[in-house]
Amino acid sequence: MMQWILPLGFIVAGVLAGIIGEKLIFRKLENFVIKKRIAGGNIIFHALHRMTFIWFVIAGFFWAVLSSPLRPDIINVLQKILTVAFLYSVTLVLARLTAGFVNLLIQRTEGVPTSLVSNVAKVVVLALGTLILLQTVGVKITPILTTLGIGGLAVGLALQDTLANLFAGFYLIISKQVRTGDYVKLDGGQEGYVTDITWRNTTIKEVSNNVVIVPNSKLASAIFTNYHLPAKEITLTLNVGVSYDSDLEEVEKVTVEVAKEVMQEIAPKLIANEPYIRFHTFGDFSIDFTLYMRVSEFFDQRIGKHIFIKKLHKRYQEAGITIPFPIKEIYVQHNINKENSEFRIQESE
């Protein structure tokens, strides 16, 4: 029993060191990085999550095996197992780092990352790390690669739909037809913000907070409108009519002033693009015009119209400008005591 005291001591020391390292040292370093806002710090600490504890425990078991009275062949097997565990943990850290920094790069260039690219990068690192690990412990990887190549043909035939969605997802990302964060409208009528492009589906979040799941292959071949291409900024158009008694110069002045107020409220960065109106129709009961005003993105049209209509209605009332409602003049011919009488009746629609 005395021969096992030292190995057990190494195991206990490794576990205690792992707990202390995880709870104290790791936490303090994490708080320091967050406080200083070091670039990529969150990615690094996410990749190292729980690894401090695992590495200290592996080290404790490693020294316990070396100091144990076990037979040399058993010690050799245990050392290989611990080596595999350590190398796999390092591979997992590298895979997390790769996925995290790929996401960070995409976020800086495109605005919002997609899980497809980061997951593929993670899988590639894990696969390469596994092959290197097997080579390190003496396993020949050439027969494995040959087997995987032959088996890959059968798997590819069985997973045609999955592979079609995978490559369609890459096509959508590379072609930049759809990016996460874009507002799109499908030919089926569904519309919303693209939240993610995975290895199989594209997720679209509707304004009602529902989620539409579209297979990548279907989206790649569908007819859809991307309201964020070629730019997020769009022109809000709104049709208005004023009475024939109105001073059109005054109407234009007041309407543009109100539109500028709305732009200052919802799209101040676009204020250099001044709003304007264009008269276009002598209607049945009004002179009609269209307002053109820039907003930051497609969804801002709703709040823009809401605020503009309220402000314009109030300003028109103050300026004495009338927005007429439809009026019909009906002529009725009625016979009373064989005498024709004509009456004119006004009614509103």
Side-chain angles (χ1 to χ4, degrees):
M1 293 296 296
M2 296 299 294
Q3 295 177 343
W4 290 99
I5 292 178
L6 184 59
L8 290 175
F10 278 123
I11 293 174
V12 172
V15 173
L16 291 176
I19 294 174
I20 294 172
E22 187 73 24
K23 297 295 183 181
L24 297 179
I25 301 174
F26 187 81
R27 295 296 181 188
K28 287 184 178 180
L29 287 175
E30 185 178 15
N31 292 332
F32 173 79
V33 170
I34 293 174
K35 185 177 180 180
K36 297 295 183 180
R37 297 181 180 179
I38 299 175
N42 291 334
I43 297 173
I44 295 173
F45 279 102
H46 174 71
L48 294 174
H49 183 62
R50 300 296 183 189
M51 290 303 168
T52 306
F53 176 77
I54 293 173
W55 288 340
F56 274 113
V57 172
I58 291 175
F61 273 97
F62 187 82
W63 287 105
V65 170
L66 290 180
S67 60
S68 67
L70 296 172
R71 297 200 315 266
D73 55 338
I74 297 178
I75 292 176
N76 187 37
V77 172
L78 292 176
Q79 284 180 338
K80 285 187 176 182
I81 293 174
L82 292 172
T83 301
V84 169
F86 175 73
L87 291 177
Y88 184 78
S89 66
V90 172
T91 302
L92 185 59
V93 170
L94 293 176
R96 290 177 178 177
L97 287 173
T98 302
F101 282 108
V102 166
N103 264 343
L104 183 63
L105 178 63
I106 296 175
Q107 188 171 3
R108 287 182 175 179
T109 55
E110 301 294 337
V112 184
T114 58
S115 61
L116 175 60
V117 178
S118 60
N119 286 339
V120 169
K122 188 175 182 179
V123 169
V124 169
V125 173
L126 285 174
L128 292 176
T130 302
L131 293 177
I132 295 172
L133 187 151
L134 293 174
Q135 187 74 26
T136 302
V137 296
V139 178
K140 294 183 179 180
I141 63 173
T142 303
I144 297 176
L145 293 176
T146 303
T147 304
L148 289 176
I150 297 173
L153 295 175
V155 172
L157 292 174
L159 300 176
Q160 291 185 27
D161 292 340
T162 301
L163 293 177
N165 286 317
L166 177 64
F167 288 110
F170 278 116
Y171 169 75
L172 291 172
I173 293 172
I174 294 173
S175 66
K176 297 183 179 181
Q177 292 180 351
V178 178
R179 301 165 299 181
T180 49
D182 287 355
Y183 193 95
V184 299
K185 183 175 183 180
L186 306 180
D187 52 0
Q190 301 90 346
E191 59 182 272
Y193 289 97
V194 177
T195 57
D196 197 7
I197 301 176
T198 66
W199 61 276
R200 184 174 178 82
N201 302 312
T202 297
T203 306
I204 300 174
K205 188 175 183 180
E206 296 182 315
V207 178
S208 59
N209 215 29
N210 297 323
V211 174
V212 180
I213 307 297
V214 185
N216 293 332
S217 58
K218 298 291 185 182
L219 185 62
S221 59
I223 299 174
F224 62 90
T225 303
N226 190 333
Y227 290 100
H228 283 186
L229 290 179
K232 293 176 65 174
E233 299 84 5
I234 66 170
T235 300
L236 180 155
T237 60
L238 188 67
N239 294 319
V240 186
V242 294
S243 67
Y244 277 87
D245 297 333
S246 303
D247 182 350
L248 298 187
E249 295 294 335
E250 180 70 12
V251 169
E252 183 173 12
K253 177 183 176 183
V254 172
T255 306
V256 171
E257 287 177 355
V258 172
K260 287 182 179 179
E261 292 177 8
V262 176
M263 286 187 66
Q264 189 65 45
E265 185 173 342
I266 66 172
K269 294 182 179 179
L270 303 177
I271 198 65
N273 301 300
E274 291 194 1
Y276 60 93
I277 70 172
R278 291 293 182 265
F279 294 99
H280 55 74
T281 305
F282 287 103
D284 293 335
F285 47 86
S286 64
I287 298 177
D288 302 327
F289 65 88
T290 301
L291 166 76
Y292 299 90
M293 179 177 65
R294 299 289 286 176
V295 292
S296 298
E297 62 168 297
F298 176 81
F299 190 69
D300 286 346
Q301 290 185 108
R302 302 188 180 189
I303 187 64
K305 290 181 179 180
H306 171 75
I307 297 174
F308 177 77
I309 289 175
K310 289 200 304 181
K311 287 181 176 290
L312 186 67
H313 184 258
K314 183 177 180 180
R315 289 289 298 276
Y316 274 8
Q317 286 181 330
E318 294 173 353
I321 300 173
T322 303
I323 301 176
F325 51 84
I327 294 177
K328 280 186 179 180
E329 291 186 350
I330 302 176
Y331 293 88
V332 180
Q333 199 164 22
H334 184 63
N335 293 326
I336 300 178
N337 297 324
K338 297 182 180 181
E339 294 182 359
N340 293 334
S341 300
E342 186 179 89
F343 300 90
R344 190 176 69 177
I345 303 173
Q346 277 195 343
E347 65 176 16
S348 61
E349 290 183 336

